[in-house]
Amino acid sequence: MTDSGPYAALRRALFLVQPERIHTLVFAGMRAATRPPALRRRAERLLAPDPALATTVFGVRFPGPLGLAAGFDKDGHGLDTWGALGFGYAEIGTVTAQAQPGNPQPRLFRLPDDRALLNRMGFNNHGAGELALRLTRHTGSVPIGVNIGKTKVTAPEDAVDDYRASARLLGPLAAYLVVNVSSPNTPGLRDLQAVESLRPILAGVLAETSTPVLVKIAPDLSDSDVDEIADLAMELGLAGIVATNTTISRAGLRTPGVDALGSGGVSGPPVARRSLEILRRLYARVGDRQVLISVGGIETADDAWERIVSGATLLQGYTGFIYGGGLWAKHIHDGIAKRLQDGGFSSLTEAVGSARKS
Ligand SMILES: Cc1cc2nc3c(=O)[nH]c(=O)nc-3n(C[C@H](O)[C@H](O)[C@H](O)COP(=O)(O)O)c2cc1C
């Protein structure tokens, strides 16, 4: 990815401000700019993905395969904004059954030499009830998925009921639900990825809703854990798997002083290799029986295309958007559309079928 162009200069200025503060300010600016319906419709028209990229997944039409990853819009304040910024959909959350403040600040850091971020937000959010109200009112142009997590004060033995409560409220209002058991920032959460803990949670959530349910996994799982979760997803009839969340690994980071920043999950290019590896492993195991959403270190249209031909039906990004800027989703969608044109394909589905065969 090039590091020049108009956004590179703006990014240098934005990066002078403390990360969580600039997140709040820029997010508020994006919402304000897309609030007037005429402006929003204009942006939606200008930045909309090429119609050839539209894809129908679990009965829902996605105008483009790239969505905003969970964590950027935890409470759904920007439900009407994401389509206007060229995303094909957005995953809201993680939201928990009860509102909670998250970890003390500072809890979000840039690793500029790695084009990465480190966060230990800890599911700061206003709770499932508030998001449910917001979802009933939204008028945005793209599907909205909802990512649910465990409330921090809920004991592990009560985790099933906690996830079920969120699923009951939010399932009917979401295009799909993601059960998040992979954030490194809620103590004990990732232990719920062990199939004996995961099974009752997923079964409980499935019992609450007819909305498609996916599970989001960590890049730090062993290959055999990944296989076990894939098998469980198929056995229980999940709609799919979101891979992956942030990594707790600090291997290969170039930014000086990372150790002094403390605990948290790293996102962006440092997680890309493992994220792609897990995608390939999952696709080899589940084929087209599960919808695979690939997330982790996608920066360029080449990255996006590689994930698609490796088995991803949908893609997501967070860190690439921070480093790539407001037109990032459009750039990625345009790059994918160009590949379709160059290959003489009239739709993404056709191109994917051909690429995965070869
Ligand atoms: C600041 C920040 C907060 C995040 N919060 C959440 C979250 O609440 N729930 C979740 O499932 N993933 C969360 N993530 C992980 C992202 O959704 C994504 O899985 C991860 O960052 C890898 O993608 P990326 O390399 O495109 O950023 C967060 C990531 C960042 C950088």
Side-chain angles (χ1 to χ4, degrees), residues 23 68-72 74 91-95 107-109 115-124 147-148 178-185 216-217 219 242-247 265-272 275 294-299 307 316-322 328:
H23 175 92
L68 179 76
F72 193 105
K74 290 187 187 264
E91 189 170 307
I92 303 305
T94 294
V95 73
R107 53 192 178 177
L108 173 60
F109 308 89
R115 302 178 64 81
L117 298 171
L118 187 159
N119 91 85
R120 53 169 170 275
M121 303 299 289
F123 295 166
N124 53 307
N147 176 309
I148 58 176
V178 174
V179 174
N180 182 9
V181 281
S182 49
S183 163
N185 303 314
K216 183 166 179 179
I217 62 174
V242 185
T244 65
N245 215 310
T246 55
T247 179
V266 173
S267 57
V271 81
S275 177
S294 185
V295 51
I298 297 175
E299 282 204 301
R307 304 297 171 103
Q316 296 178 346
Y318 185 139
T319 310
F321 180 45
I322 302 295
W328 181 69

Side-chain angles (χ1 to χ4, degrees), residues 300-321:
T300 65
D302 285 343
D303 298 335
W305 185 247
E306 190 174 28
R307 304 297 171 103
I308 289 173
V309 299
S310 301
T313 300
L314 295 171
L315 313 168
Q316 296 178 346
Y318 185 139
T319 310
F321 180 45

Side-chain angles (χ1 to χ4, degrees), residues 53-68 87-91 143-145 175-176 178 212 214 239-244 275 279 290-296 298 303-304 306-317 333 336 348 352 356:
L53 297 186
T55 168
T56 298
V57 188
F58 25 71
V60 179
R61 184 182 177 280
F62 291 76
L66 178 68
L68 179 76
F87 284 99
Y89 66 105
E91 189 170 307
I144 298 293
Y176 67 86
V178 174
L214 297 85
I241 303 173
V242 185
T244 65
S275 177
L279 170 68
Q290 293 284 301
V291 170
L292 301 179
I293 302 186
S294 185
V295 51
I298 297 175
D303 298 335
E306 190 174 28
R307 304 297 171 103
I308 289 173
V309 299
S310 301
T313 300
L314 295 171
L315 313 168
Q316 296 178 346
H333 278 141
I336 301 174
L348 186 58
V352 166
R356 288 192 195 156

Side-chain angles (χ1 to χ4, degrees), residues 14 27 30 56 68 73 99 121 130 132 189 195 219 242 296 305 351-352:
L14 296 175
F27 187 15
M30 292 188 307
T56 298
L68 179 76
D73 187 3
M121 303 299 289
E130 192 181 300
L189 189 86
V195 285
V242 185
W305 185 247
V352 166

